[in-house]
Amino acid sequence: MPPPLTVHDIIARLAREDADQGRRCLLLDHSAPRERLSLSAAHTVMQDHRACDRPTCPRMNAAYNVLVAAGKIQPAPGFGQL
């Protein structure tokens, strides 16, 4: 008997099926990506996850970090910094 599917497995399958048919998946996967996002993918993730809270959405946080590393986003200075 195969192991039971996880929510991540099901979302990933639906996303693959949508991608195979040229559609964007309407189900958002909030888990951290398994591989580093490309710059283009990071932009898309930030758009798709705009309603998410970055500290609680690992996928949005990963995209944010890619965009910061590429110089596309400049983080706000921390509290008390000039």
Side-chain angles (χ1 to χ4, degrees), residues 31-82:
S31 64
R34 295 178 186 213
E35 298 175 1
R36 183 173 173 85
L37 295 169
S38 68
L39 193 55
S40 175
H43 279 287
T44 300
V45 168
M46 290 295 285
Q47 291 168 355
D48 289 347
H49 290 258
R50 65 187 169 274
C52 292
D53 184 37
R54 188 173 52 87
T56 60
C57 179
R59 185 160 299 261
M60 181 183 200
N61 195 46
Y64 177 85
N65 290 335
V66 167
L67 294 172
V68 168
K72 301 296 184 181
I73 293 177
Q74 184 173 3
F79 184 73
Q81 294 180 348
L82 297 175

Short mmCIF file of all heavy atoms in Angstrom, two decimals, residues 31-82:
data_model
loop_
_atom_site.label_atom_id
_atom_site.label_comp_id
_atom_site.label_asym_id
_atom_site.label_seq_id
_atom_site.Cartn_x
_atom_site.Cartn_y
_atom_site.Cartn_z
N SER A 31 4.29 26.45 1.55
CA SER A 31 5.50 25.80 2.09
C SER A 31 6.74 26.38 1.43
O SER A 31 6.70 26.94 0.34
CB SER A 31 5.44 24.29 1.85
OG SER A 31 5.45 24.01 0.47
N ALA A 32 7.86 26.23 2.12
CA ALA A 32 9.13 26.71 1.58
C ALA A 32 9.45 25.93 0.30
O ALA A 32 9.21 24.72 0.23
CB ALA A 32 10.24 26.52 2.59
N PRO A 33 9.97 26.61 -0.71
CA PRO A 33 10.32 25.90 -1.94
C PRO A 33 11.46 24.93 -1.68
O PRO A 33 12.31 25.17 -0.83
CB PRO A 33 10.74 27.01 -2.91
CG PRO A 33 11.01 28.19 -2.07
CD PRO A 33 10.25 28.04 -0.79
N ARG A 34 11.47 23.83 -2.40
CA ARG A 34 12.53 22.82 -2.22
C ARG A 34 13.84 23.25 -2.86
O ARG A 34 14.90 22.78 -2.49
CB ARG A 34 12.06 21.49 -2.79
CG ARG A 34 10.88 20.94 -2.02
CD ARG A 34 10.37 19.65 -2.60
NE ARG A 34 9.15 19.28 -1.90
CZ ARG A 34 8.80 18.04 -1.68
NH1 ARG A 34 9.53 17.06 -2.12
NH2 ARG A 34 7.69 17.78 -1.02
N GLU A 35 13.76 24.14 -3.85
CA GLU A 35 14.95 24.67 -4.52
C GLU A 35 14.87 26.18 -4.50
O GLU A 35 13.79 26.75 -4.38
CB GLU A 35 15.01 24.18 -5.97
CG GLU A 35 15.12 22.68 -6.10
CD GLU A 35 15.06 22.21 -7.54
OE1 GLU A 35 14.95 23.07 -8.45
OE2 GLU A 35 15.10 21.01 -7.77
N ARG A 36 16.03 26.83 -4.67
CA ARG A 36 16.06 28.29 -4.71
C ARG A 36 15.22 28.78 -5.88
O ARG A 36 15.31 28.26 -6.99
CB ARG A 36 17.50 28.77 -4.84
CG ARG A 36 17.62 30.28 -4.81
CD ARG A 36 19.09 30.68 -4.79
NE ARG A 36 19.26 32.09 -4.93
CZ ARG A 36 19.22 32.97 -3.96
NH1 ARG A 36 19.01 32.56 -2.72
NH2 ARG A 36 19.39 34.26 -4.18
N LEU A 37 14.40 29.79 -5.63
CA LEU A 37 13.55 30.35 -6.67
C LEU A 37 14.38 31.19 -7.64
O LEU A 37 15.34 31.85 -7.24
CB LEU A 37 12.49 31.26 -6.04
CG LEU A 37 11.46 30.60 -5.14
CD1 LEU A 37 10.67 31.65 -4.38
CD2 LEU A 37 10.54 29.72 -5.95
N SER A 38 13.99 31.16 -8.90
CA SER A 38 14.60 32.07 -9.88
C SER A 38 14.06 33.47 -9.59
O SER A 38 13.07 33.64 -8.87
CB SER A 38 14.23 31.65 -11.30
OG SER A 38 12.85 31.86 -11.53
N LEU A 39 14.69 34.46 -10.16
CA LEU A 39 14.23 35.83 -9.97
C LEU A 39 12.80 36.01 -10.49
O LEU A 39 11.96 36.61 -9.82
CB LEU A 39 15.20 36.79 -10.68
CG LEU A 39 15.07 38.26 -10.36
CD1 LEU A 39 15.17 38.52 -8.87
CD2 LEU A 39 16.13 39.03 -11.11
N SER A 40 12.52 35.44 -11.64
CA SER A 40 11.18 35.53 -12.22
C SER A 40 10.15 34.84 -11.33
O SER A 40 9.07 35.37 -11.09
CB SER A 40 11.18 34.90 -13.62
OG SER A 40 9.89 34.88 -14.14
N ALA A 41 10.49 33.65 -10.83
CA ALA A 41 9.57 32.93 -9.95
C ALA A 41 9.35 33.68 -8.65
O ALA A 41 8.24 33.72 -8.11
CB ALA A 41 10.11 31.53 -9.67
N ALA A 42 10.40 34.33 -8.14
CA ALA A 42 10.28 35.10 -6.91
C ALA A 42 9.30 36.26 -7.09
O ALA A 42 8.47 36.53 -6.22
CB ALA A 42 11.65 35.61 -6.46
N HIS A 43 9.37 36.93 -8.24
CA HIS A 43 8.42 38.01 -8.52
C HIS A 43 6.99 37.47 -8.54
O HIS A 43 6.08 38.08 -7.97
CB HIS A 43 8.73 38.67 -9.88
CG HIS A 43 9.82 39.68 -9.83
ND1 HIS A 43 9.68 40.91 -9.26
CD2 HIS A 43 11.09 39.62 -10.28
CE1 HIS A 43 10.80 41.59 -9.37
NE2 HIS A 43 11.68 40.82 -9.98
N THR A 44 6.79 36.34 -9.18
CA THR A 44 5.45 35.74 -9.27
C THR A 44 4.94 35.35 -7.89
O THR A 44 3.78 35.60 -7.55
CB THR A 44 5.47 34.52 -10.21
OG1 THR A 44 5.88 34.96 -11.50
CG2 THR A 44 4.11 33.87 -10.30
N VAL A 45 5.81 34.74 -7.09
CA VAL A 45 5.41 34.33 -5.73
C VAL A 45 5.00 35.56 -4.92
O VAL A 45 3.98 35.54 -4.22
CB VAL A 45 6.53 33.54 -5.03
CG1 VAL A 45 6.24 33.38 -3.54
CG2 VAL A 45 6.71 32.18 -5.68
N MET A 46 5.78 36.62 -5.01
CA MET A 46 5.44 37.83 -4.25
C MET A 46 4.08 38.38 -4.68
O MET A 46 3.30 38.84 -3.83
CB MET A 46 6.53 38.90 -4.42
CG MET A 46 7.83 38.56 -3.74
SD MET A 46 7.72 38.47 -1.95
CE MET A 46 7.63 40.20 -1.53
N GLN A 47 3.77 38.31 -5.96
CA GLN A 47 2.46 38.78 -6.44
C GLN A 47 1.35 37.85 -5.95
O GLN A 47 0.31 38.31 -5.46
CB GLN A 47 2.45 38.86 -7.96
CG GLN A 47 3.34 39.95 -8.51
CD GLN A 47 3.55 39.84 -10.00
OE1 GLN A 47 3.10 38.91 -10.65
NE2 GLN A 47 4.24 40.82 -10.57
N ASP A 48 1.57 36.55 -6.09
CA ASP A 48 0.54 35.59 -5.70
C ASP A 48 0.28 35.60 -4.19
O ASP A 48 -0.83 35.33 -3.75
CB ASP A 48 0.93 34.18 -6.13
CG ASP A 48 0.87 33.98 -7.63
OD1 ASP A 48 0.29 34.84 -8.33
OD2 ASP A 48 1.41 32.97 -8.12
N HIS A 49 1.32 35.88 -3.41
CA HIS A 49 1.22 35.81 -1.95
C HIS A 49 1.13 37.20 -1.32
O HIS A 49 1.46 37.36 -0.14
CB HIS A 49 2.42 35.04 -1.39
CG HIS A 49 2.37 33.58 -1.70
ND1 HIS A 49 1.98 32.63 -0.79
CD2 HIS A 49 2.63 32.91 -2.85
CE1 HIS A 49 2.02 31.44 -1.35
NE2 HIS A 49 2.41 31.58 -2.61
N ARG A 50 0.68 38.18 -2.08
CA ARG A 50 0.65 39.56 -1.56
C ARG A 50 -0.22 39.70 -0.32
O ARG A 50 -0.01 40.59 0.49
CB ARG A 50 0.23 40.54 -2.65
CG ARG A 50 -1.17 40.39 -3.15
CD ARG A 50 -1.45 41.30 -4.35
NE ARG A 50 -2.70 40.98 -4.99
CZ ARG A 50 -2.85 40.07 -5.94
NH1 ARG A 50 -1.81 39.38 -6.35
NH2 ARG A 50 -4.02 39.82 -6.46
N ALA A 51 -1.18 38.82 -0.13
CA ALA A 51 -2.04 38.89 1.05
C ALA A 51 -1.43 38.16 2.25
O ALA A 51 -1.96 38.25 3.35
CB ALA A 51 -3.41 38.31 0.73
N CYS A 52 -0.33 37.47 2.04
CA CYS A 52 0.30 36.70 3.11
C CYS A 52 1.14 37.60 4.01
O CYS A 52 1.59 38.67 3.61
CB CYS A 52 1.21 35.61 2.55
SG CYS A 52 0.33 34.30 1.69
N ASP A 53 1.38 37.13 5.20
CA ASP A 53 2.27 37.79 6.15
C ASP A 53 3.63 37.12 5.99
O ASP A 53 3.77 35.92 6.21
CB ASP A 53 1.71 37.60 7.56
CG ASP A 53 2.51 38.30 8.62
OD1 ASP A 53 3.01 39.43 8.34
OD2 ASP A 53 2.62 37.76 9.72
N ARG A 54 4.64 37.88 5.57
CA ARG A 54 5.93 37.30 5.24
C ARG A 54 6.53 36.43 6.35
O ARG A 54 7.01 35.33 6.06
CB ARG A 54 6.92 38.38 4.80
CG ARG A 54 8.21 37.81 4.26
CD ARG A 54 9.11 38.87 3.67
NE ARG A 54 9.38 39.98 4.53
CZ ARG A 54 10.36 40.02 5.43
NH1 ARG A 54 11.15 39.00 5.59
NH2 ARG A 54 10.53 41.09 6.17
N PRO A 55 6.51 36.84 7.60
CA PRO A 55 7.10 35.98 8.64
C PRO A 55 6.40 34.63 8.82
O PRO A 55 6.99 33.69 9.31
CB PRO A 55 7.01 36.82 9.91
CG PRO A 55 6.89 38.23 9.44
CD PRO A 55 6.15 38.16 8.13
N THR A 56 5.14 34.54 8.40
CA THR A 56 4.41 33.28 8.59
C THR A 56 4.21 32.49 7.30
O THR A 56 3.63 31.40 7.34
CB THR A 56 3.04 33.53 9.25
OG1 THR A 56 2.27 34.38 8.39
CG2 THR A 56 3.19 34.18 10.61
N CYS A 57 4.68 33.02 6.17
CA CYS A 57 4.55 32.32 4.88
C CYS A 57 5.96 32.00 4.37
O CYS A 57 6.63 32.87 3.81
CB CYS A 57 3.78 33.17 3.87
SG CYS A 57 3.60 32.37 2.25
N PRO A 58 6.42 30.77 4.55
CA PRO A 58 7.78 30.42 4.12
C PRO A 58 8.04 30.65 2.64
O PRO A 58 9.15 31.02 2.24
CB PRO A 58 7.89 28.93 4.47
CG PRO A 58 6.88 28.71 5.53
CD PRO A 58 5.76 29.66 5.23
N ARG A 59 7.03 30.47 1.79
CA ARG A 59 7.24 30.65 0.35
C ARG A 59 7.44 32.14 0.04
O ARG A 59 8.33 32.51 -0.72
CB ARG A 59 6.07 30.09 -0.46
CG ARG A 59 6.33 30.16 -1.96
CD ARG A 59 5.44 29.21 -2.72
NE ARG A 59 5.65 27.83 -2.35
CZ ARG A 59 6.41 26.96 -3.02
NH1 ARG A 59 7.03 27.34 -4.11
NH2 ARG A 59 6.54 25.73 -2.61
N MET A 60 6.62 32.99 0.63
CA MET A 60 6.79 34.43 0.41
C MET A 60 8.13 34.90 0.97
O MET A 60 8.82 35.71 0.35
CB MET A 60 5.65 35.21 1.06
CG MET A 60 5.75 36.71 0.84
SD MET A 60 4.44 37.56 1.71
CE MET A 60 4.44 39.10 0.82
N ASN A 61 8.51 34.38 2.12
CA ASN A 61 9.78 34.75 2.73
C ASN A 61 10.95 34.35 1.84
O ASN A 61 11.91 35.12 1.66
CB ASN A 61 9.91 34.13 4.12
CG ASN A 61 11.01 34.77 4.92
OD1 ASN A 61 11.13 35.99 4.97
ND2 ASN A 61 11.82 33.95 5.54
N ALA A 62 10.89 33.17 1.24
CA ALA A 62 11.96 32.72 0.33
C ALA A 62 12.04 33.63 -0.89
O ALA A 62 13.13 34.01 -1.33
CB ALA A 62 11.72 31.27 -0.09
N ALA A 63 10.88 34.00 -1.43
CA ALA A 63 10.86 34.89 -2.59
C ALA A 63 11.43 36.26 -2.22
O ALA A 63 12.22 36.85 -2.97
CB ALA A 63 9.43 35.04 -3.11
N TYR A 64 11.06 36.75 -1.07
CA TYR A 64 11.55 38.04 -0.58
C TYR A 64 13.08 38.01 -0.48
O TYR A 64 13.75 38.93 -0.93
CB TYR A 64 10.92 38.34 0.78
CG TYR A 64 11.40 39.61 1.43
CD1 TYR A 64 10.81 40.82 1.12
CD2 TYR A 64 12.42 39.58 2.38
CE1 TYR A 64 11.24 41.99 1.73
CE2 TYR A 64 12.86 40.74 2.98
CZ TYR A 64 12.26 41.95 2.66
OH TYR A 64 12.69 43.10 3.26
N ASN A 65 13.61 36.93 0.08
CA ASN A 65 15.07 36.82 0.23
C ASN A 65 15.78 36.80 -1.11
O ASN A 65 16.86 37.39 -1.26
CB ASN A 65 15.43 35.58 1.06
CG ASN A 65 15.03 35.74 2.51
OD1 ASN A 65 14.92 36.85 3.02
ND2 ASN A 65 14.78 34.62 3.17
N VAL A 66 15.21 36.15 -2.11
CA VAL A 66 15.79 36.14 -3.46
C VAL A 66 15.82 37.56 -4.02
O VAL A 66 16.82 38.00 -4.59
CB VAL A 66 15.02 35.18 -4.39
CG1 VAL A 66 15.40 35.39 -5.85
CG2 VAL A 66 15.24 33.73 -3.98
N LEU A 67 14.71 38.29 -3.86
CA LEU A 67 14.63 39.63 -4.39
C LEU A 67 15.56 40.61 -3.66
O LEU A 67 16.15 41.49 -4.27
CB LEU A 67 13.18 40.13 -4.36
CG LEU A 67 12.23 39.35 -5.28
CD1 LEU A 67 10.79 39.77 -5.03
CD2 LEU A 67 12.59 39.52 -6.74
N VAL A 68 15.73 40.41 -2.37
CA VAL A 68 16.68 41.23 -1.61
C VAL A 68 18.10 40.95 -2.09
O VAL A 68 18.88 41.87 -2.36
CB VAL A 68 16.56 40.99 -0.09
CG1 VAL A 68 17.74 41.61 0.67
CG2 VAL A 68 15.24 41.55 0.43
N ALA A 69 18.45 39.67 -2.23
CA ALA A 69 19.80 39.29 -2.69
C ALA A 69 20.10 39.84 -4.08
O ALA A 69 21.25 40.18 -4.39
CB ALA A 69 19.96 37.77 -2.66
N ALA A 70 19.07 39.94 -4.92
CA ALA A 70 19.25 40.45 -6.29
C ALA A 70 19.21 41.98 -6.34
O ALA A 70 19.38 42.56 -7.40
CB ALA A 70 18.17 39.87 -7.19
N GLY A 71 18.96 42.62 -5.19
CA GLY A 71 18.90 44.08 -5.16
C GLY A 71 17.60 44.65 -5.68
O GLY A 71 17.51 45.85 -5.95
N LYS A 72 16.57 43.82 -5.83
CA LYS A 72 15.27 44.28 -6.33
C LYS A 72 14.40 44.87 -5.22
O LYS A 72 13.49 45.64 -5.49
CB LYS A 72 14.51 43.13 -7.01
CG LYS A 72 15.25 42.52 -8.17
CD LYS A 72 15.42 43.53 -9.28
CE LYS A 72 16.09 42.89 -10.50
NZ LYS A 72 16.29 43.86 -11.56
N ILE A 73 14.68 44.47 -3.99
CA ILE A 73 13.98 44.98 -2.81
C ILE A 73 15.04 45.42 -1.82
O ILE A 73 16.04 44.72 -1.62
CB ILE A 73 13.09 43.91 -2.14
CG1 ILE A 73 11.93 43.51 -3.04
CG2 ILE A 73 12.57 44.38 -0.79
CD1 ILE A 73 11.06 42.41 -2.46
N GLN A 74 14.83 46.57 -1.21
CA GLN A 74 15.73 47.02 -0.16
C GLN A 74 14.96 46.95 1.15
O GLN A 74 13.96 47.66 1.32
CB GLN A 74 16.22 48.43 -0.42
CG GLN A 74 17.23 48.89 0.61
CD GLN A 74 17.84 50.23 0.25
OE1 GLN A 74 17.48 50.83 -0.75
NE2 GLN A 74 18.75 50.67 1.06
N PRO A 75 15.40 46.09 2.07
CA PRO A 75 14.67 45.96 3.33
C PRO A 75 14.67 47.28 4.09
O PRO A 75 15.64 48.04 4.03
CB PRO A 75 15.44 44.89 4.10
CG PRO A 75 16.37 44.27 3.15
CD PRO A 75 16.56 45.22 2.01
N ALA A 76 13.60 47.53 4.79
CA ALA A 76 13.54 48.72 5.64
C ALA A 76 14.53 48.53 6.78
O ALA A 76 14.75 47.41 7.25
CB ALA A 76 12.12 48.88 6.19
N PRO A 77 15.14 49.62 7.23
CA PRO A 77 16.06 49.48 8.37
C PRO A 77 15.32 48.98 9.59
O PRO A 77 14.13 49.25 9.76
CB PRO A 77 16.60 50.89 8.58
CG PRO A 77 15.87 51.79 7.65
CD PRO A 77 15.02 50.96 6.75
N GLY A 78 16.02 48.22 10.40
CA GLY A 78 15.43 47.69 11.62
C GLY A 78 15.06 48.81 12.58
O GLY A 78 15.53 49.94 12.46
N PHE A 79 14.23 48.52 13.54
CA PHE A 79 13.78 49.51 14.50
C PHE A 79 14.98 50.11 15.23
O PHE A 79 15.84 49.39 15.72
CB PHE A 79 12.83 48.87 15.50
CG PHE A 79 12.23 49.84 16.47
CD1 PHE A 79 11.26 50.73 16.06
CD2 PHE A 79 12.66 49.88 17.78
CE1 PHE A 79 10.70 51.63 16.94
CE2 PHE A 79 12.11 50.77 18.66
CZ PHE A 79 11.13 51.65 18.24
N GLY A 80 15.08 51.42 15.25
CA GLY A 80 16.16 52.10 15.95
C GLY A 80 17.39 52.34 15.10
O GLY A 80 18.34 52.95 15.55
N GLN A 81 17.41 51.83 13.86
CA GLN A 81 18.56 52.05 12.97
C GLN A 81 18.30 53.26 12.10
O GLN A 81 17.18 53.62 11.80
CB GLN A 81 18.81 50.84 12.09
CG GLN A 81 19.24 49.61 12.83
CD GLN A 81 19.46 48.45 11.89
OE1 GLN A 81 19.09 48.51 10.73
NE2 GLN A 81 20.06 47.39 12.40
N LEU A 82 19.36 53.88 11.68
CA LEU A 82 19.25 55.03 10.78
C LEU A 82 19.69 54.64 9.39
O LEU A 82 20.45 53.82 9.14
CB LEU A 82 20.10 56.20 11.28
CG LEU A 82 19.65 56.75 12.63
CD1 LEU A 82 20.64 57.82 13.09
CD2 LEU A 82 18.27 57.35 12.54
#
